[in-house]
Amino acid sequence: MARLFYACVLVGVVLAVLVAAVYPLPQHTRYRSLINVIPDGGREEVFSMRWPGDRVQPLQSGRGGPVGLMGAAAVLSAADGASASIEVFRLRDAADNVVGLASRSTTSRGGRAQGSDWVLLVPSRGSLFLSQLNSRDVAPASRAAGTAPATAADAAAFWGNARQLRITAGPAAGGAGSVTGGTGEFAGLTGGYDETWDLERVAADGTTSGRITLTTRIRTAP
């Protein structure tokens, strides 16, 4: 199971870097960082992704088929029932500008709580690494052969009567997720974050659209 977990994290990082190298992101415009100072001396920065529009499709082979992936997610499984999935999104700032890519790796380990790890890649600034326990099952699941995995948020039944859900459930104080590291501008930072999902629309066929928001609160490590 440990091998599956670390393999998932590694594949997520590699996939984000590979997609960043070939996917058409803004190359010449660097948007001003939208950062708020918070009372404890740290800083708050909000990132978001829309579903389904901001999901990045995987690299395509010469014949038009996906390379080892299906749809916008990769789903892995182990003989002991453990599973892992990887998704890649366009990453937006608080002003809704596309500023980079986000890779999410989600693991389920038998009877243990499901967890997710995020890699936020912002060209010219660096990468930020996040980790959390999930409040519910949010991982994509394989469907019939030849079709894309279905993400929980895509189905209206997942939401019930709710319009907003807090997905983060620890392991930091107050149920926040943990900032585990970073590179470039984000190197040497620590702190926490919250992941929330907002349902914006339910289509006639029962599929949904909405926004995933990551609110980070970071400071220089002591």
Side-chain angles (χ1 to χ4, degrees):
M1 185 59 237
R3 289 184 179 180
L4 177 65
F5 173 75
Y6 289 115
C8 181
V9 173
L10 178 61
V11 170
V13 174
V14 172
L15 185 59
V17 172
L18 289 176
V19 174
V22 299
Y23 203 81
L25 292 171
Q27 297 296 318
H28 304 291
T29 301
R30 174 173 177 175
Y31 294 101
R32 181 174 61 88
S33 301
L34 302 178
I35 298 172
N36 297 317
V37 177
I38 51 181
D40 68 354
R43 69 192 202 194
E44 179 182 270
E45 189 167 4
V46 178
F47 300 96
S48 68
M49 296 137 278
R50 300 171 183 165
W51 83 81
D54 282 340
R55 290 198 182 103
V56 176
Q57 295 297 321
L59 302 177
Q60 302 292 306
S61 70
R63 297 183 179 180
V67 181
L69 302 172
M70 297 175 64
V75 179
L76 314 174
S77 59
D80 61 0
S83 64
S85 61
I86 302 167
E87 303 166 89
V88 179
F89 300 86
R90 299 180 189 90
L91 182 66
R92 300 177 181 272
D93 64 11
D96 213 33
N97 301 307
V98 175
V99 295
L101 290 170
S103 169
R104 176 180 183 141
S105 304
T106 302
T107 58
S108 300
R109 311 168 206 172
R112 299 181 184 179
Q114 185 188 77
S116 290
D117 296 282
W118 285 96
V119 179
L120 310 185
L121 175 63
V122 183
S124 78
R125 293 184 63 190
S127 299
L128 186 63
F129 308 131
L130 313 174
S131 183
Q132 70 181 35
L133 299 176
N134 297 336
S135 63
R136 58 185 61 208
D137 182 1
V138 298
S142 296
R143 299 192 298 192
T147 62
T151 303
D154 291 324
F158 174 80
W159 292 89
N161 295 322
R163 302 294 295 187
Q164 183 182 80
L165 295 171
R166 183 187 185 191
I167 304 302
T168 312
S178 297
V179 174
T180 59
T183 65
E185 179 184 314
F186 302 106
L189 299 178
T190 186
Y193 75 100
D194 287 311
E195 177 183 343
T196 56
W197 291 9
D198 289 277
L199 177 64
E200 297 177 347
R201 180 175 179 271
V202 179
D205 62 358
T207 58
T208 68
S209 59
R211 185 180 294 268
I212 299 171
T213 301
L214 302 173
T215 304
T216 65
R217 298 172 295 277
I218 51 182
R219 60 188 181 278
T220 302

